[in-house]
Amino acid sequence: MTMLSFRVDDDLASRADDWAEQLGVDRSELLRAALHDHLARLGAERDAAAWQATPLTPAEASLEEVSDWGPAEDWSDWDDASR
């Protein structure tokens, strides 16, 4: 692990301490989780922008039709046949 160190306003530090106490975790764990969540959200926003900038090719889009096929056979009476 790498140690990160930064300064924050006293009010923000107090709020972090309060939340850490309410959640029953160390302040370091609270900040690690917050940083992780924020970085994940930033990555998701970047991925969404990349998808919008590069739409699916017709070949890739053709796979969408497969999800609408449903079951290949009618198995609705299968349970009755096993009795």
Side-chain angles (χ1 to χ4, degrees):
M1 281 194 155
T2 299
M3 178 185 244
L4 296 178
S5 177
F6 54 93
R7 297 188 181 279
V8 297
D9 292 334
D10 291 340
D11 180 57
L12 190 57
S14 177
R15 289 169 48 198
D17 287 337
D18 290 344
W19 274 109
E21 184 177 333
Q22 287 180 37
L23 296 171
V25 297
D26 291 336
R27 180 172 59 182
S28 293
E29 178 60 28
L30 178 75
L31 297 176
R32 271 193 299 275
L35 178 60
H36 176 270
D37 291 349
H38 187 68
L39 293 176
R41 185 172 48 253
L42 289 173
E45 290 172 5
R46 182 189 56 214
D47 291 347
W51 276 99
Q52 288 175 346
T54 309
L56 295 176
T57 66
E60 293 168 327
S62 69
L63 295 175
E64 292 176 351
E65 296 174 21
V66 174
S67 66
D68 295 333
W69 286 356
E73 298 179 31
D74 181 13
W75 289 80
S76 60
D77 63 340
W78 182 79
D79 190 37
D80 294 334
S82 64
R83 291 181 193 178

